[in-house]
Amino acid sequence: MRPRLEQALLRAGHDEWSGVYTYWDGENSSRTLLLVPGSGFIARQNSEGLGEGDLLRLGSAQWRDGRIELHDDYVAPAWPLLPQTLSSSLIPLRWGERRYLVGADQLARFARAVNFSGSEAYAAQNGAALRRGDETRPVSGLPPLPAAAQAYLRSQPLLLHVTSVDIVHNEIIDGGFQDVRRIDYRLTLSAGDGIVAGMQLQRDFSSVFDAAEFITIEQVDANAATAAYSDIVTPVGFLETRFRPDPARMDRPTRAELHGPRIGDVWSTGGSALVAMRVRR
């Protein structure tokens, strides 16, 4: 398939959205997508050249209702275990001189990346594939997301404060080499003008938590918003392998229980003003 797709890219008049795109798995591992709508696609991991890297997926690619739909003919056996950040339904998005392919199910994630990173190509690491060669091309304003997702974009940050925290699930699970604890929280936050269901927020950057943590707003009413938050952690002091478990240590508090979400925590939508504050600091 690769020679056929490469030849298609060389022909005059090929689809303007054909090309090589870079996307990410969320764990600092780059991947490439060789795409020719009407012909097919090949997705590879850690591929700097089209012939390098591990094959992840390949199949057909067709336009349908303004989107590019990917249909797998082959999926690598390890693929179900890897983060699946490449959506099978891609929305073409032209932002300035850049071309992005944004997963139909990743619009909120892409908007969050734009809110927190400004107009940098970093946004391609969060829910989108960026055409190779477009990384340094200029953009202006906010990306033209579909109407239903426009509310996710913020020019100014919106800060929401946690007003209640409930643990809805707490269990020990098989973590591979050692057991871990999963805790699921239900957060209630102060509602603000412009907050909508589906919007993603990151914990305020002044927090002790990693800025990569985020929540998705599930429901909004006149006075409050609710969101779910999960944490999978190793209990403090638990160094045994799962083959030599120490039940007493599994009862020790986890990082989440020591520093987990609390009343008064601040979560932010991000926005151009917040980006500027982070730069100044």
Side-chain angles (χ1 to χ4, degrees):
M1 179 182 282
R2 183 166 62 88
R4 178 164 58 85
L5 297 184
E6 290 175 339
Q7 286 298 317
L9 288 177
L10 296 175
R11 289 196 296 266
H14 64 70
D15 190 300
E16 66 170 327
W17 289 92
S18 298
V20 179
Y21 293 79
T22 301
Y23 66 106
W24 300 78
D25 65 3
E27 297 180 356
N28 299 320
S29 177
S30 63
R31 299 179 179 182
T32 57
L33 169 68
L34 170 58
L35 172 71
V36 179
S39 296
F41 77 96
I42 299 175
R44 290 183 177 274
Q45 183 178 24
N46 296 325
S47 174
E48 296 301 329
L50 295 181
E52 301 175 3
D54 298 326
L55 178 64
L56 296 176
R57 302 167 60 182
L58 63 81
S60 61
Q62 302 291 337
W63 284 101
R64 178 177 297 175
D65 298 328
R67 299 181 181 183
I68 300 174
E69 303 288 341
L70 306 182
H71 300 279
D72 294 319
D73 292 332
Y74 170 80
V75 178
W79 177 247
L81 303 178
L82 299 173
Q84 299 189 35
T85 56
L86 178 64
S87 173
S88 292
S89 182
L90 301 172
I91 299 174
L93 190 153
R94 191 184 297 275
W95 184 13
E97 296 183 15
R98 296 183 193 168
R99 278 166 287 188
Y100 290 92
L101 296 174
V102 184
D105 57 349
Q106 297 286 342
L107 289 170
R109 181 178 175 181
F110 179 74
R112 175 173 58 87
V114 173
N115 289 338
F116 275 88
S117 67
S119 59
E120 302 170 6
Y122 163 78
Q125 299 180 25
N126 292 267
L130 176 63
R131 184 177 169 113
R132 182 176 289 174
D134 286 2
E135 295 87 353
T136 59
R137 292 185 175 181
V139 299
S140 60
L142 296 174
L145 293 185
Q150 282 289 336
Y152 299 153
L153 294 170
R154 299 282 306 183
S155 58
Q156 298 292 324
L158 179 63
L159 304 180
L160 276 68
H161 295 76
V162 175
T163 57
S164 69
V165 179
D166 296 304
I167 295 179
V168 296
H169 193 71
N170 188 349
E171 68 171 342
I172 297 172
I173 61 176
D174 183 350
F177 291 105
Q178 63 182 22
D179 294 340
V180 296
R181 185 185 298 275
R182 171 172 176 155
I183 305 178
D184 296 325
Y185 297 90
R186 173 72 59 186
L187 305 180
T188 303
L189 305 100
S190 57
D193 293 337
I195 192 72
V196 295
M199 183 177 284
Q200 293 186 347
L201 293 83
Q202 288 187 192
R203 197 182 295 262
D204 181 49
F205 65 89
S206 61
S207 167
V208 297
F209 273 73
D210 182 3
E213 292 185 330
F214 68 92
I215 56 174
T216 302
I217 299 297
E218 296 183 334
Q219 184 177 343
V220 180
D221 60 29
N223 300 309
T226 59
Y229 174 73
S230 298
D231 205 356
I232 299 179
V233 293
T234 302
V236 173
F238 181 70
L239 300 176
E240 315 295 333
T241 70
R242 61 186 295 264
F243 304 106
R244 292 183 297 147
D246 183 348
R249 291 195 173 193
M250 292 305 293
D251 290 333
R252 293 187 182 184
T254 65
R255 179 181 67 88
E257 291 167 322
L258 291 174
H259 305 290
R262 296 179 181 179
I263 294 175
D265 283 353
V266 178
W267 293 78
S268 173
T269 59
S272 59
L274 183 59
V275 172
M277 286 173 58
R278 299 179 77 165
V279 171
R280 286 199 302 271
R281 289 194 169 207

